[in-house]
mmCIF file of all heavy atoms in Angstrom:
data_model
loop_
_atom_site.group_PDB
_atom_site.id
_atom_site.type_symbol
_atom_site.label_atom_id
_atom_site.label_comp_id
_atom_site.label_asym_id
_atom_site.label_seq_id
_atom_site.Cartn_x
_atom_site.Cartn_y
_atom_site.Cartn_z
ATOM 1 N N ALA A 62 -5.466 6.685 0.370
ATOM 2 C CA ALA A 62 -6.131 7.501 -0.683
ATOM 3 C C ALA A 62 -6.946 8.596 -0.012
ATOM 4 O O ALA A 62 -8.042 8.359 0.484
ATOM 5 C CB ALA A 62 -7.005 6.626 -1.565
ATOM 6 N N LYS A 64 -8.758 10.987 -0.848
ATOM 7 C CA LYS A 64 -10.114 11.405 -1.228
ATOM 8 C C LYS A 64 -11.197 10.711 -0.423
ATOM 9 O O LYS A 64 -12.314 11.236 -0.312
ATOM 10 C CB LYS A 64 -10.343 11.228 -2.732
ATOM 11 C CG LYS A 64 -10.577 9.805 -3.199
ATOM 12 C CD LYS A 64 -10.859 9.831 -4.710
ATOM 13 C CE LYS A 64 -11.398 8.528 -5.242
ATOM 14 N NZ LYS A 64 -10.361 7.481 -5.429
ATOM 15 N N ALA A 65 -10.904 9.559 0.184
ATOM 16 C CA ALA A 65 -11.942 8.856 0.955
ATOM 17 C C ALA A 65 -12.351 9.638 2.200
ATOM 18 O O ALA A 65 -13.525 9.608 2.603
ATOM 19 C CB ALA A 65 -11.426 7.475 1.367
ATOM 20 N N ASP A 83 -1.955 8.814 -1.266
ATOM 21 C CA ASP A 83 -2.330 8.887 -2.684
ATOM 22 C C ASP A 83 -3.233 10.091 -2.834
ATOM 23 O O ASP A 83 -4.303 10.147 -2.214
ATOM 24 C CB ASP A 83 -3.060 7.599 -3.088
ATOM 25 C CG ASP A 83 -3.670 7.680 -4.474
ATOM 26 O OD1 ASP A 83 -2.981 8.148 -5.401
ATOM 27 O OD2 ASP A 83 -4.839 7.292 -4.656
ATOM 28 N N VAL A 85 -5.132 13.230 -5.370
ATOM 29 C CA VAL A 85 -5.693 13.452 -6.707
ATOM 30 C C VAL A 85 -5.837 14.929 -7.041
ATOM 31 O O VAL A 85 -6.439 15.267 -8.065
ATOM 32 C CB VAL A 85 -7.046 12.729 -6.887
ATOM 33 C CG1 VAL A 85 -6.867 11.228 -6.868
ATOM 34 C CG2 VAL A 85 -8.054 13.148 -5.837
ATOM 35 N N SER A 106 -2.191 10.673 -8.228
ATOM 36 C CA SER A 106 -3.046 10.043 -9.239
ATOM 37 C C SER A 106 -3.986 11.073 -9.847
ATOM 38 O O SER A 106 -4.042 12.214 -9.396
ATOM 39 C CB SER A 106 -3.885 8.929 -8.601
ATOM 40 O OG SER A 106 -3.062 7.932 -8.031
ATOM 41 N N ARG A 153 -0.259 4.743 -15.202
ATOM 42 C CA ARG A 153 -1.434 3.982 -14.773
ATOM 43 C C ARG A 153 -1.951 3.224 -15.988
ATOM 44 O O ARG A 153 -2.419 3.830 -16.953
ATOM 45 C CB ARG A 153 -2.522 4.908 -14.231
ATOM 46 C CG ARG A 153 -3.806 4.139 -13.907
ATOM 47 C CD ARG A 153 -4.747 4.958 -13.128
ATOM 48 N NE ARG A 153 -6.008 4.277 -12.898
ATOM 49 C CZ ARG A 153 -6.996 4.806 -12.203
ATOM 50 N NH1 ARG A 153 -6.865 6.019 -11.671
ATOM 51 N NH2 ARG A 153 -8.116 4.147 -12.036
ATOM 52 N N HIS A 203 -5.423 0.582 -10.882
ATOM 53 C CA HIS A 203 -6.472 0.677 -9.858
ATOM 54 C C HIS A 203 -7.764 0.332 -10.591
ATOM 55 O O HIS A 203 -8.190 1.070 -11.460
ATOM 56 C CB HIS A 203 -6.525 2.073 -9.262
ATOM 57 C CG HIS A 203 -7.700 2.301 -8.347
ATOM 58 N ND1 HIS A 203 -7.767 1.749 -7.102
ATOM 59 C CD2 HIS A 203 -8.838 3.007 -8.527
ATOM 60 C CE1 HIS A 203 -8.911 2.125 -6.519
ATOM 61 N NE2 HIS A 203 -9.574 2.869 -7.372
ATOM 62 N N GLY A 205 -10.935 -0.441 -9.437
ATOM 63 C CA GLY A 205 -12.277 -0.112 -8.979
ATOM 64 C C GLY A 205 -12.323 -0.095 -7.469
ATOM 65 O O GLY A 205 -11.291 -0.207 -6.807
ATOM 66 N N SER A 206 -13.522 0.050 -6.946
ATOM 67 C CA SER A 206 -13.670 0.247 -5.520
ATOM 68 C C SER A 206 -14.737 -0.703 -4.978
ATOM 69 O O SER A 206 -15.555 -1.222 -5.730
ATOM 70 C CB SER A 206 -14.097 1.699 -5.282
ATOM 71 O OG SER A 206 -13.860 2.099 -3.977
ATOM 72 N N GLN A 207 -14.704 -0.890 -3.658
ATOM 73 C CA GLN A 207 -15.635 -1.795 -2.985
ATOM 74 C C GLN A 207 -15.570 -3.188 -3.626
ATOM 75 O O GLN A 207 -16.580 -3.835 -3.921
ATOM 76 C CB GLN A 207 -17.064 -1.207 -2.984
ATOM 77 C CG GLN A 207 -18.111 -1.974 -2.178
ATOM 78 C CD GLN A 207 -17.688 -2.286 -0.742
ATOM 79 O OE1 GLN A 207 -16.806 -1.661 -0.191
ATOM 80 N NE2 GLN A 207 -18.300 -3.261 -0.119
ATOM 81 N N GLY A 241 -2.792 -0.070 -6.519
ATOM 82 C CA GLY A 241 -4.000 0.721 -6.294
ATOM 83 C C GLY A 241 -4.692 0.395 -4.995
ATOM 84 O O GLY A 241 -4.123 -0.186 -4.077
ATOM 85 N N GLY A 242 -5.963 0.795 -4.935
ATOM 86 C CA GLY A 242 -6.747 0.545 -3.735
ATOM 87 C C GLY A 242 -7.903 -0.376 -4.092
ATOM 88 O O GLY A 242 -7.758 -1.247 -4.934
ATOM 89 N N GLY A 243 -9.042 -0.160 -3.460
ATOM 90 C CA GLY A 243 -10.242 -0.825 -3.918
ATOM 91 C C GLY A 243 -10.804 -1.890 -3.010
ATOM 92 O O GLY A 243 -11.926 -2.371 -3.246
ATOM 93 N N MET A 244 -10.037 -2.343 -1.992
ATOM 94 C CA MET A 244 -10.581 -3.429 -1.152
ATOM 95 C C MET A 244 -11.897 -2.984 -0.513
ATOM 96 O O MET A 244 -11.995 -1.891 0.026
ATOM 97 C CB MET A 244 -9.570 -3.822 -0.081
ATOM 98 C CG MET A 244 -10.044 -5.018 0.726
ATOM 99 S SD MET A 244 -8.819 -5.595 1.905
ATOM 100 C CE MET A 244 -9.156 -4.502 3.263
ATOM 101 N N GLU A 278 -2.837 1.642 -2.490
ATOM 102 C CA GLU A 278 -3.499 2.945 -2.323
ATOM 103 C C GLU A 278 -4.893 2.763 -1.728
ATOM 104 O O GLU A 278 -5.891 3.163 -2.333
ATOM 105 C CB GLU A 278 -3.669 3.644 -3.690
ATOM 106 C CG GLU A 278 -2.405 3.856 -4.485
ATOM 107 C CD GLU A 278 -2.692 4.315 -5.921
ATOM 108 O OE1 GLU A 278 -3.864 4.279 -6.358
ATOM 109 O OE2 GLU A 278 -1.730 4.718 -6.596
ATOM 110 N N PRO A 279 -5.011 2.169 -0.554
ATOM 111 C CA PRO A 279 -6.346 1.933 0.014
ATOM 112 C C PRO A 279 -6.968 3.228 0.547
ATOM 113 O O PRO A 279 -6.298 4.030 1.177
ATOM 114 C CB PRO A 279 -6.101 0.951 1.140
ATOM 115 C CG PRO A 279 -4.693 1.206 1.563
ATOM 116 C CD PRO A 279 -3.948 1.679 0.334
ATOM 117 N N GLY A 280 -8.227 3.410 0.255
ATOM 118 C CA GLY A 280 -8.975 4.536 0.827
ATOM 119 C C GLY A 280 -10.048 3.988 1.754
ATOM 120 O O GLY A 280 -9.918 3.947 2.966
ATOM 121 N N ARG A 281 -11.121 3.512 1.124
ATOM 122 C CA ARG A 281 -12.293 3.017 1.861
ATOM 123 C C ARG A 281 -11.935 2.047 2.983
ATOM 124 O O ARG A 281 -12.441 2.153 4.092
ATOM 125 C CB ARG A 281 -13.232 2.333 0.863
ATOM 126 C CG ARG A 281 -14.560 1.911 1.450
ATOM 127 C CD ARG A 281 -15.331 1.019 0.439
ATOM 128 N NE ARG A 281 -15.330 1.578 -0.893
ATOM 129 C CZ ARG A 281 -16.252 2.430 -1.371
ATOM 130 N NH1 ARG A 281 -17.253 2.789 -0.601
ATOM 131 N NH2 ARG A 281 -16.162 2.906 -2.598
ATOM 132 N N SER A 282 -11.053 1.093 2.683
ATOM 133 C CA SER A 282 -10.807 0.026 3.658
ATOM 134 C C SER A 282 -10.010 0.518 4.879
ATOM 135 O O SER A 282 -9.953 -0.169 5.882
ATOM 136 C CB SER A 282 -10.078 -1.153 2.988
ATOM 137 O OG SER A 282 -8.906 -0.697 2.342
ATOM 138 N N TYR A 377 -15.899 8.349 1.997
ATOM 139 C CA TYR A 377 -16.783 8.978 1.015
ATOM 140 C C TYR A 377 -18.080 9.455 1.671
ATOM 141 O O TYR A 377 -19.136 9.469 1.030
ATOM 142 C CB TYR A 377 -17.063 8.002 -0.153
ATOM 143 C CG TYR A 377 -15.765 7.491 -0.777
ATOM 144 C CD1 TYR A 377 -15.320 6.187 -0.569
ATOM 145 C CD2 TYR A 377 -14.958 8.360 -1.510
ATOM 146 C CE1 TYR A 377 -14.114 5.735 -1.088
ATOM 147 C CE2 TYR A 377 -13.744 7.910 -2.037
ATOM 148 C CZ TYR A 377 -13.339 6.604 -1.828
ATOM 149 O OH TYR A 377 -12.146 6.159 -2.343
HETATM 150 C C1 PLP B 1 -10.239 6.284 -5.277
HETATM 151 C C2 PLP B 1 -8.899 5.744 -5.572
HETATM 152 C C3 PLP B 1 -8.258 4.910 -4.640
HETATM 153 C C4 PLP B 1 -8.918 4.445 -3.387
HETATM 154 O O1 PLP B 1 -9.974 3.564 -3.654
HETATM 155 P P1 PLP B 1 -10.710 2.812 -2.456
HETATM 156 O O2 PLP B 1 -11.743 2.010 -3.125
HETATM 157 O O3 PLP B 1 -11.299 3.855 -1.569
HETATM 158 O O4 PLP B 1 -9.693 1.983 -1.761
HETATM 159 C C5 PLP B 1 -6.988 4.490 -4.935
HETATM 160 N N1 PLP B 1 -6.354 4.871 -6.080
HETATM 161 C C6 PLP B 1 -6.953 5.667 -6.997
HETATM 162 C C7 PLP B 1 -6.219 6.047 -8.210
HETATM 163 C C8 PLP B 1 -8.234 6.134 -6.767
HETATM 164 O O5 PLP B 1 -8.825 6.914 -7.682
#
Side-chain angles (χ1 to χ4, degrees):
K64 76 177 193 282
D83 171 45
V85 293
S106 300
R153 175 168 175 179
H203 172 73
S206 199
Q207 187 51 20
M244 186 175 83
E278 303 170 350
R281 186 189 313 271
S282 54
Y377 306 106

